[in-house]
Structure formats: C-alpha cells, structure tokens
Amino acid sequence: MKDILKATLLIFVLFSCKPVSAQVKFAHPERIRYDGSCMTIDGKDLFIYSAAFHYFRCPEELWKERFRQIKEAGFNTVETYVPWNWHERSMPAGLDDTSKFDFSDLKRWLKMAQEEFGFYTIVRPGPFICAEYSGGGYPRWLAKFRPESTEEFWLRSADLQHIRWSLHWYDAVCSALADEQITRKPIGDKGIILIQIENEYNHHGCEGKEELLKALYRSVRKSGMDIPVFTCLTNECRNSQDPELSQVFDSDNYYVGLSSTPDCAYRMADLRRTQPGALGFVTELQGGWFSLVTGRLSEDHYSDERHFKALGLMSILGGASGINYYMFFGGTHFAGWGARGMTTTYDYNAAIRENGALGAKYFEAKAIGGFIRAFESQLVRSEGGPCTIEKAPENLFGGVRVAVDGTRFIFLHNTDPKNPVKGKARLIPGKLNRPVAPMFNINQDGQKVLISMAETTGRDSLAVEPIEVSYDLPALGTKVLVIPAGKTPEQGEWWPQEQMRPLRPSRQPSPVRIASAQKKEDAFAKADWKLLPQLVSLSDLGVNDFRYSLYRAHVQLTPQQIVDEHFLLFNMFTRDIVSVLVNGKQAKRLFPDKADAQSWTTRNCFERIRSDEYDNRFDVSGLLKQGDNEILVVYENLGHAHGYVPMEELAGIRQAGLSITETALTHPLEWEYAPDAAGVTNGWNLPQFIPKDWQSVTLDINGEIPRKGNGVQPKGEPDGLFTWYRIEFELPEQEPDVWTPWLARINASGNGYMWLNGQNIGRHWEAGPQREFFLPECWLHFGAKKNVLVMGLRQTARGAKLRAMEIAPYQDTSEIRCHPGR
C-alpha cells in the first residue's frame, strides 16, 4: 500500500526546458478552448473521438444510417474534408464572382450530424485536401489562371495569384460555415469545433509557406470563424511564435507498418513535448488504405482490426486527447470523382465498409469508444507515456499513464503479428525507452517518409514506482490494465472490453445471373455538335467533370495528301486518352501503346506537357480517301490527378490534325465538339428510355465471374469507339428488419461509366482489380419494379465486350437490424 500511495503522489513534470508556447487567444473561452492537455467545451474536458465520413462519397439518402452506425460505435465527433471543386463546379467570371458556389449539401450534412445525432464536427477545407480525390480538391478550371511565367509548381504555393484564388475559396466556404460553429449555438448544442487550414504541408516543397498559411488564417477570422484553428504535419505552425501562426496548433497523421504502431506513442509524446500549449491530436489515424487501378483492393491491405486497435491505444499512450480515424467510412467515387488512377470503390477497408456492412474494425472502435467514455476525465489530463519494460521479450511494448486522481493505465502491446506472448513484466514509469530504429509515415504513394523526432532526455514526465503485471496478449494484441487509485495491479481490470457482433439471418437472397443484355454503338451523328473556331480546354467549354466527350473533323484531301499525311497527332492539355475512327475504321495507335486506365503516377507526371508534344499519335495509312474524310474522336478524361504536374493542367485537346511526320503537326484541322457521348445526350443512360433497334446479346451464365483481379477482362476485338449495354433485372422484396447490401459483379472489357436507375455509380476500368460495384440500396427497386443498369464503354484494344454479369448480395454481410427507419 505504501508503494501505491507513492505512485499517486509522485506525478510531476521533469522537463525544465520545455518549449515555451505563445499565448493562444480564444474568442469565447467559456464555450470552447484548449490547453496542453485537451479541449474544453462548455466547461467540460473532452476527448475528441472522431470518425472521418465524407458526405461527397455517400448518397445523401444513406447519411442517416452512417451517422447512426458511427454514433453506436461511441464517437462524439465526425470529420470531413470540404472539397473546393465539389462546391464550385463551374468556372467563375473572376475572383469576385461567388455565384457558382453551392454549399447546400454540406450544410444539410452538418445539421444532420449536429442536430439529429449530437455530434461535434470538424471541417477541413484545404484548399489542398489530397484524399485520393479529384485534383486534391482544387478545381480543374483553376489551372487556367496559373501565371505563364511560373516555372515551379503553382498550386499550394505562396504565389500571389494562387493566394488570391485560395482566398476566393476560403472567404466563401468560411462564411458559409460560420453559423454552424459551436460558438453560435446555444449552450449544450453541438456545432463545428475545429477548422483546419492547408494539409500535410511538410510533404510539399515550396518557399514562403508562412505567407499562404497566414492568408488562410486571416480569411478564417475575417469570415467570422472564431473557433480554434489547426493544421496537420505543418512545422510552420508547430509551437510557432508568430502572432498569427501561434494561434494555429499542429497535429499529426499516423500511417505506419503492421508492427510499427509503437511509433504512434513516441510521435504523440514528441508532439506534446514540442507543442506544450496544445492538445495532442491525430488528424488521420490510419483506418485502412485506398486502392489503385491495376493495384490491389483495400481488403487486401495489411491494416487489419488488430492494427486498427493498436493505433488508437498507442496514440492514447503517447498522450493523445483526440483521434480521428481516417477513414471510418470510406464510400464510393460516384461519377468519377476519384483522383486519376483511383478505383471507383473507396472502401478503404474501413470499419464501416463501402456497402454499409460493419467490419471487424468497427467492433474494436466500439470497444475503444467504451474505454474512452469510461475514463475520459482521467485520460485527458493524465501524465506518462512509453517506458522501459524489464523481464519481457523484445516484442512486448508498453507504458504507463497516471491520472490526477491516481488511476493508473498500463498499456501493453505485442508487436509480433504471428505469435502470442504471455508472462510477467516490470514497467519502469518515467524511464523512457526511446526507439533505436528510425520511424516512418507511409505517404499517398505507399512510400516510407522519415519522421524526425526532437532530441529528449532519457525520462518522460512521469516518475512512479515500478509496476509488475501479468499479461497474456494474442498476436499483435493490445490491452490496457486500469488500476484504480489505492488498488494493486491484481485488482485492476483489462480494457477495452469485447463487443457483441450483429445477428446474421439464416440465409441470404440468391444472386441474379444476367442472361442477356441489349447493345448499341453510340449514335455519334445525334450528339450535340458545336463548331469550334479554335480548340480550347474543356473548362473553357464548361466541362469540369470527368465525362466522355466527342470531337469530329471533316477534311478534303488530294491524292498527294493521302500519300503524305499518314499521321494523326493530338497535342493535349493533359495526358488523357483519345480513340479514333477515320472514315468509320479504327486508326492504329502509335502512342501510348496501352490506352487503358493510366495511374496518376505514370506517364511523365513530373513533366509538364509541352505545346509541341503529341501525346496521342495514330497511323492513318490506308484509311484516308480523296475528297471528304470524317475523323471521329472519343476523349477519355482519366480524372484529375491529386498530385504533381497533372494536378495543375487543364483537360481537352489543344491542337490536332494530320501530319507528314510523327514529331510535328503540319496540317491542323478544324474541329467540332460535343460535350457528351450521344447516348447521354439522348437519354440512353436513363431507366425511362425505350431502346429501339438495339441488338440483344447473350451473356455467359455458367462460368465463374472473378470477384477481383487485374487483367481478367475478356479479350474482345475493337469494332467501334463507344458501346452501350442495357441490363434489366428484378430483386426480391426485402424482409422486414433484415438488411442486405447488393453488388454488380461484372466481367467486361472497355472503360466507361455505369448508371443504376439513372444514377451514375462510377467508372468501370477494364484493367482491374475492381470487379464488384456497389449498388446503393436507396437507388435500387425491390419487388416487381424493374431495375435498369446501363454501361457506356469506350472501346480499348480488347473492345468493349460484356461477357458476364450477376447482381448478388455481398457475401456474409446481411444483418438483422431492428430499429426504426429501415
């Protein structure tokens, strides 16, 4: 008992040379403020337990269900990025034109989160958000205002023109958000508690970062936002002494290897030490990983539920009083809004899967939520961190935190992902066991980025008597022994506690195998053609999304020109793909040789495309004729890259025509343009369309359809440019209180879009690995009413062949849900 009393009394700070923090000014400290321990709202200390959920990756009809799931997991906060390009889709007339902004869906999302479900909210408006999202949040049209004299990367820079446009966005979005702040709500009501400026600025190299950061901060304040401001991985703000940047606290993002979760504890302790005046907050705590075209699906990523649990608890061991799991619900890139090279699915292997099913991580999150709720007041002002463990194997990691009331929290983690560990160990609180190996974050390219750590002494902020505990941890297991004040370790209790899984129905509905489809080539003549006196970017033509567009040229040729001009060259605004018919016949592609889905990390993403560079080249020998010739072009917008040079390039064809050489354009042509494929213009993608003179094609109903994989698409032959398929199917009535999510499993060649009952559900990339596509239940019909699934596919070297399809329930995901509203 004497040792226990000493443990409760010997909590003290050993650092005599901590960095000195500038004083943070709070507009309404009685409503919201923070200190070196935690956030305090309406006089109560808060552990920010937050879930990332992007409103723009989920049908609005499903928001309520996702909020319910997040609430039931024990979260008190939800976080979202706010993408500029989502809210200002059309190019404004100038900096002062705010008429193109539309924040209505964001406001509805915030109101639902705050008023219906009682969440605090966190908003992150960039302007760069990364997020594997189109342009990293920047509008495509913004590249039009890039100064021609700029040689360096312009976006995210301190260039005055970029700052002006960033303020155009910030002034608008902050003004729209101002009324949703917690400081404008009655006491007890929820609202926005944090706003982030910029994003992971350490990973971007440019001069004068402080100038952009200060401009964004001023805009936040000028627009009436008076809540705390933060950023993440931005050294310019970490314990800054600048009068403005000192009012912005820095946070961290943790993406680490399977056995590297102890790094979270070390890095959080370092953040707390180097920024003593602010809470320890993890803006992005790894909830999984994204998937790339030709890569692997998120479900195959190493980040499992054990890793997920360890990330959270190790962050708390290091002193976090706020964590935001990114992503907690990933969602879908509907209508092609994912960045170039991203799959349609943004499942992320998150706790709540793309289809709404609860993964294994969900129940670990719920268990951690229970732990936080039970000990919130003790945890947020506790002291301690990682420490030396004696009499233990090398793979046993841990530390101690002690609350003001004397409650001791013993964190233990087994870093071995294959073998359990069991025994007795002696923890030496206050003796800091610093890592020997370097620590890394994993960036958006999957590469390791070295994390620098501040030099420290060999002790942390806690000195208590050694603690001996018995432990039994599964492979990669993590537990916390909670020892109340005045109790022995043997009288403590292990947390987090096991959570119940949902009930499963005895059987799932049967899949629906599709036996036939209707097929038709795009009727190019019926497109909405407009003559272009001069080729301009798609943004100049009012197109800032990712649709398929058409170009057409008619040219009169002499016999000599037919012989000489056997090259067709395209100078592009960015490295997209075009496919060509010359007088109704396929033109032979010379470059690029593989016109499939191009990842944003390929095809010279570090080099700006030149005005004399012909990035799509064709051999038209034998296709031209004397007199009138027709050249038809389908333009495939591969998506807006979220990094490097393609992020600040416009889209479209800059110059095109025939040539006597492959390296220079000798005969520019006059072009017509149609903003959409003719099928879209004429409503072929809509369920009410009645197809006439479409061909009925038989699909394979016996062979197995691969559920994922690269290069497993059928090998057809190209016989056109753009092909349409229409499929009709019926689904059984839903059983009361039984929820079943549905998918379309497709084996087809060709790239394009899919529409479910008129709703664009995303891209089909023939290359893979995605072969299953989420069919949101809010857009499906159940019972006698037919469903219509339409595919519009640009033909590749393998044509556009639909071999097989089935509409099926996701495997082992049905749940019995006995609650109102379903």
Side-chain angles (χ1 to χ4, degrees):
M1 183 62 68
K2 180 180 178 182
D3 288 343
I4 296 170
L5 291 174
K6 288 174 70 177
T8 63
L9 295 173
L10 290 176
I11 301 170
F12 60 93
V13 176
L14 295 176
F15 295 113
S16 59
C17 55
K18 273 189 176 182
V20 178
S21 295
Q23 183 177 2
V24 181
K25 301 173 184 177
F26 301 102
H28 302 281
E30 76 287 357
R31 295 301 315 277
I32 185 167
R33 65 183 185 275
Y34 62 80
D35 56 24
S37 294
C38 64
M39 182 81 74
T40 302
I41 297 178
D42 292 337
K44 180 183 177 183
D45 289 345
L46 176 74
F47 189 107
I48 302 172
Y49 193 40
S50 178
F53 164 26
H54 297 161
Y55 56 97
F56 47 90
R57 282 177 164 137
C58 179
E60 187 166 348
E61 299 92 328
L62 299 181
W63 289 354
K64 185 170 291 191
E65 179 62 19
R66 299 295 174 266
F67 280 133
R68 182 195 66 80
Q69 292 169 314
I70 294 169
K71 191 73 173 181
E72 290 185 0
F75 290 88
N76 56 29
T77 306
V78 287
E79 172 273 326
T80 185
Y81 277 126
V82 183
W84 181 356
N85 54 2
W86 181 262
H87 293 288
E88 193 176 24
R89 302 192 189 187
S90 297
M91 183 164 57
L95 285 165
D96 297 328
D97 179 10
T98 60
S99 64
K100 310 299 184 186
F101 284 112
D102 182 358
F103 296 105
S104 55
D105 59 347
L106 171 60
K107 291 180 178 180
R108 291 193 299 271
W109 187 87
L110 288 168
K111 285 186 178 296
M112 185 180 291
Q114 295 161 178
E115 297 176 10
E116 292 188 42
F117 289 90
F119 285 117
Y120 299 111
T121 55
I122 298 171
V123 290
R124 302 202 283 158
F128 176 71
I129 67 170
C130 188
E132 298 74 59
Y133 186 73
S134 168
Y138 279 110
R140 195 71 178 257
W141 52 259
L142 188 61
K144 190 170 177 62
F145 299 96
R146 180 181 180 271
E148 292 184 7
S149 59
T150 301
E151 296 182 3
E152 302 299 323
F153 197 75
W154 180 60
L155 297 177
R156 308 186 72 184
S157 77
D159 175 82
L160 184 58
Q161 183 77 337
H162 173 256
I163 290 178
R164 286 170 177 160
W165 277 105
S166 296
L167 297 182
H168 164 84
W169 161 240
Y170 254 59
D171 290 350
V173 69
C174 292
S175 296
L177 293 171
D179 284 343
E180 294 303 323
Q181 298 174 96
I182 193 167
T183 50
R184 299 202 182 176
K185 301 295 180 78
I187 293 177
D189 284 7
K190 302 301 191 293
I192 304 171
I193 60 172
L194 287 171
I195 181 170
Q196 178 183 301
I197 60 172
E198 238 295 328
N199 188 50
E200 297 178 327
Y201 218 6
N202 288 351
H203 296 335
H204 181 72
C206 70
E207 299 294 327
K209 291 182 180 181
E210 295 88 351
E211 295 308 309
L212 175 62
L213 291 166
K214 288 180 182 181
L216 298 179
Y217 174 76
R218 291 169 193 150
S219 176
V220 169
R221 293 300 184 226
K222 185 187 76 171
S223 302
M225 300 288 285
D226 53 23
I227 55 173
V229 181
F230 77 109
T231 187
C232 70
L233 284 176
T234 301
N235 288 337
E236 288 75 15
C237 295
R238 187 167 294 198
N239 205 43
S240 173
Q241 300 302 305
D242 179 86
E244 291 173 308
L245 297 187
S246 63
Q247 306 304 300
V248 182
F249 74 87
D250 195 21
S251 60
D252 220 338
N253 292 352
Y254 298 157
Y255 294 90
V256 300
L258 188 64
S259 297
S260 299
T261 55
D263 291 359
C264 300
Y266 288 127
R267 288 174 58 185
M268 176 51 63
D270 185 70
L271 175 64
R272 294 283 304 274
R273 189 162 40 247
T274 56
Q275 190 175 238
L279 68 152
F281 185 51
V282 187
T283 313
E284 295 184 18
L285 191 60
Q286 184 174 8
W289 200 248
F290 55 86
S291 53
L292 289 167
V293 176
T294 71
R296 62 181 180 182
L297 292 177
S298 297
E299 67 183 39
D300 298 319
H301 190 260
Y302 65 78
S303 179
D304 60 15
E305 68 274 15
R306 304 171 303 168
H307 185 251
F308 180 96
K309 178 181 181 181
L311 285 161
L313 294 178
M314 290 298 96
S315 298
I316 297 172
L317 167 60
S321 60
I323 56 177
N324 177 59
Y325 273 112
Y326 185 102
M327 296 293 299
F328 195 73
F329 164 70
T332 309
H333 291 134
F334 297 113
W337 278 92
R340 178 174 298 207
M342 297 295 155
T343 56
T344 288
T345 176
Y346 196 66
D347 175 77
Y348 217 80
N349 193 21
I352 302 175
R353 307 305 297 272
E354 176 185 23
N355 55 39
L358 305 180
K361 294 177 182 178
Y362 179 88
F363 302 99
E364 297 299 350
K366 190 172 184 178
I368 293 173
F371 169 63
I372 291 171
R373 280 197 311 276
F375 303 104
E376 181 176 21
S377 61
Q378 292 104 317
L379 285 170
V380 293
R381 297 199 178 274
S382 62
E383 296 282 351
C387 70
T388 297
I389 305 179
E390 296 179 346
K391 304 179 187 178
E394 185 178 345
N395 54 296
L396 184 66
F397 175 83
V400 178
R401 298 197 69 80
V402 181
V404 175
D405 68 0
T407 302
R408 289 175 289 171
F409 300 91
I410 316 301
F411 293 77
L412 293 176
H413 172 61
N414 176 13
T415 62
D416 188 337
K418 296 182 178 179
N419 302 297
V421 62
K422 182 178 181 180
K424 290 187 177 181
R426 189 169 187 259
L427 291 91
I428 315 297
K431 185 176 181 181
L432 194 59
N433 183 18
R434 299 298 294 163
V436 177
M439 291 188 291
F440 301 91
N441 228 24
I442 298 174
N443 69 12
Q444 61 186 9
D445 303 328
Q447 300 167 333
K448 290 183 176 180
V449 178
L450 182 66
I451 299 296
S452 61
M453 296 281 289
E455 293 294 327
T456 67
T457 66
R459 303 187 67 83
D460 68 6
S461 59
L462 183 67
V464 299
E465 292 297 319
I467 304 169
E468 292 196 5
V469 297
S470 297
Y471 61 88
D472 185 358
L473 296 171
L476 213 68
T478 314
K479 294 181 180 179
V480 184
L481 179 64
V482 181
I483 309 171
K487 301 294 182 180
T488 65
E490 292 74 20
Q491 295 173 302
E493 184 178 16
W494 288 101
W495 287 75
Q497 297 177 345
E498 189 74 19
Q499 300 295 306
M500 291 183 60
R501 268 41 175 183
L503 297 172
R504 303 287 189 197
S506 58
R507 59 185 179 85
Q508 284 189 303
S510 299
V512 178
R513 191 69 180 244
I514 306 300
S516 64
Q518 293 175 295
K519 174 185 176 182
K520 188 174 179 63
E521 290 303 302
D522 198 65
F524 298 109
K526 296 182 179 180
D528 184 17
W529 292 105
K530 297 178 176 62
L531 181 65
L532 295 177
Q534 180 181 348
L535 285 172
V536 292
S537 74
L538 291 177
S539 292
D540 286 301
L541 296 169
V543 175
N544 291 289
D545 53 21
F546 321 102
R547 68 187 73 180
Y548 286 79
S549 299
L550 307 178
Y551 292 83
R552 181 172 68 180
H554 286 273
V555 56
Q556 296 286 327
L557 296 176
T558 66
Q560 190 61 48
Q561 286 176 308
I562 294 170
V563 174
D564 295 341
E565 298 179 354
H566 54 274
F567 293 106
L568 179 62
L569 308 181
F570 293 86
N571 174 234
M572 315 287 283
F573 282 97
T574 194
R575 301 181 198 281
D576 282 335
I577 294 294
V578 295
S579 297
V580 179
L581 285 182
V582 177
N583 295 321
K585 296 180 180 179
Q586 294 278 336
K588 180 183 177 182
R589 182 180 298 280
L590 298 174
F591 184 86
D593 57 342
K594 293 182 179 179
D596 54 12
Q598 302 293 324
S599 168
W600 69 288
T601 56
T602 62
R603 296 191 67 209
N604 303 328
C605 67
F606 299 105
E607 297 179 13
R608 203 171 303 280
I609 197 165
R610 305 185 313 274
S611 59
D612 62 348
E613 180 180 352
Y614 301 98
D615 195 61
N616 280 254
R617 304 191 293 272
F618 298 84
D619 182 353
V620 294
S621 301
L623 302 181
L624 300 173
K625 63 183 181 179
Q626 183 178 353
D628 184 59
N629 292 264
E630 182 184 63
I631 300 173
L632 277 174
V633 177
V634 170
Y635 183 99
E636 181 168 75
N637 189 325
L638 295 171
H640 191 185
H642 71 311
Y644 307 124
V645 167
M647 189 168 78
E648 55 181 36
E649 290 179 334
L650 295 164
I653 299 172
R654 180 159 40 193
Q655 201 175 27
L658 296 168
S659 183
I660 60 175
T661 174
E662 197 176 343
T663 58
L665 185 62
T666 59
H667 185 179
L669 299 180
E670 187 177 69
W671 293 89
E672 295 175 278
Y673 162 79
D676 279 301
V680 173
T681 302
N682 291 277
W684 293 5
N685 57 323
L686 302 178
Q688 63 268 29
F689 174 75
I690 301 175
K692 297 176 181 178
D693 67 359
W694 285 46
Q695 177 190 1
S696 180
V697 293
T698 300
L699 305 184
D700 176 11
I701 59 171
N702 297 313
E704 182 180 357
I705 305 175
R707 61 172 300 268
K708 60 182 175 180
N710 294 313
V712 299
Q713 65 270 34
K715 297 179 180 179
E717 291 293 330
D719 57 2
L721 285 182
F722 201 86
T723 304
W724 291 87
Y725 289 95
R726 180 185 174 96
I727 299 95
E728 297 182 355
F729 62 93
E730 294 180 359
L731 292 177
E733 291 281 5
Q734 292 178 297
E735 295 183 37
D737 296 326
V738 175
W739 170 83
T740 301
W742 291 83
L743 60 85
R745 186 174 295 124
I746 301 171
N747 187 220
S749 60
N751 297 336
Y753 283 106
M754 300 164 288
W755 290 265
L756 172 64
N757 296 322
Q759 300 285 346
N760 189 321
I761 61 170
R763 288 188 188 260
H764 175 272
W765 294 116
E766 69 162 33
Q770 185 177 2
R771 306 291 169 189
E772 295 179 338
F773 299 89
F774 175 44
L775 306 178
E777 60 264 37
C778 55
W779 296 339
L780 281 170
H781 304 309
F782 297 91
K785 188 174 182 179
K786 288 185 180 293
N787 293 277
V788 177
L789 181 63
V790 177
M791 302 182 73
L793 300 174
R794 192 268 296 178
Q795 294 206 17
T796 67
R798 296 179 180 232
K801 180 180 180 180
L802 177 59
R803 186 184 72 83
M805 179 188 294
E806 68 177 354
I807 310 301
Y810 281 87
Q811 189 174 6
D812 300 324
T813 55
S814 294
E815 299 174 11
I816 296 176
R817 292 181 174 179
C818 300
H819 62 271
R822 290 216 60 86

